[in-house]
Amino acid sequence: MKKAFCLLALTAVAAAAPAQAFDATCELYVKAAEKTAEQPARQTISESDGIRLEAIIVDGVMYSRDSPTAKWRKAHSGFGAIERSMVADIRKGSSKIDNCRKLGSETVDGVATTVVEYRLTIPGAEPGTSKAYIGQDGLIYAQAAGKVRIVNRYSGVTVPKL
């Protein structure tokens, strides 16, 4: 769960002035994370080891449920700030992104994406390798790390009925 939350949080942050120079592929991911965070709303579905979590983020407030039939609940009201902080740490170099490479293309829910693999090192944690599926519009449509896969949807997303 914690890994899925961290991966979800990394899917976005508000733009920050680049303090760290990245190669073109790492920069592609960081810009996509920033643009994703700027979206007013998105729905995410995380799956890992048969566990499915669904979240809706609207204006920085996260709502979640753990099955398609479960009731929605307000889970976190400062989610946007967490995202911005995490990517700002990458921009300033306190969290390190490297080993970025394009792996090819894949379609995610009908959207053509470029698959980018990268390694992220967050202080106090072991480095982790993830993949981001970035659309031509610059948004992240999916992310994967180990057994965790998260898919994002951006259109038609509204605050769920609690």
Side-chain angles (χ1 to χ4, degrees):
M1 297 292 184
K2 189 175 184 181
K3 188 172 186 175
F5 180 79
C6 287
L7 185 59
L8 178 60
L10 284 174
T11 62
V13 256
Q20 173 106 358
F22 302 114
D23 69 34
T25 305
C26 286
E27 183 65 28
L28 173 66
Y29 168 75
V30 175
K31 282 184 177 181
E34 291 169 339
K35 185 170 183 179
T36 297
E38 293 170 3
Q39 301 310 297
R42 74 179 176 273
Q43 179 180 23
T44 66
I45 297 172
S46 315
E47 294 182 309
S48 176
D49 290 331
I51 298 171
R52 177 187 164 109
L53 299 173
E54 191 173 355
I56 290 178
I57 303 157
V58 177
D59 297 329
V61 178
M62 179 191 286
Y63 305 86
S64 67
R65 65 181 181 180
D66 55 13
S67 78
T69 58
K71 285 189 168 192
W72 286 99
R73 66 185 187 283
K74 187 175 179 180
H76 202 290
S77 61
F79 190 77
I82 292 169
E83 290 180 312
R84 288 187 295 278
S85 175
M86 292 181 82
V87 175
D89 286 348
I90 294 170
R91 281 278 184 209
K92 63 185 175 185
S94 53
S95 289
K96 183 181 176 188
I97 188 170
D98 62 8
N99 291 350
C100 301
R101 60 190 182 113
K102 291 182 183 178
L103 299 180
S105 59
E106 190 171 315
T107 301
V108 176
D109 290 339
V111 177
T113 67
T114 298
V115 183
V116 173
E117 182 178 73
Y118 61 94
R119 182 175 64 185
L120 184 64
T121 306
I122 298 171
E126 291 292 318
T129 300
S130 299
K131 294 177 187 172
Y133 299 73
I134 303 169
Q136 291 180 345
D137 57 3
L139 294 172
I140 297 172
Y141 283 88
Q143 289 214 163
K147 295 179 180 181
V148 178
R149 181 166 169 98
I150 298 171
V151 176
N152 296 318
R153 180 173 67 86
Y154 300 95
S155 61
V157 178
T158 60
V159 173
K161 293 184 181 194
L162 303 179

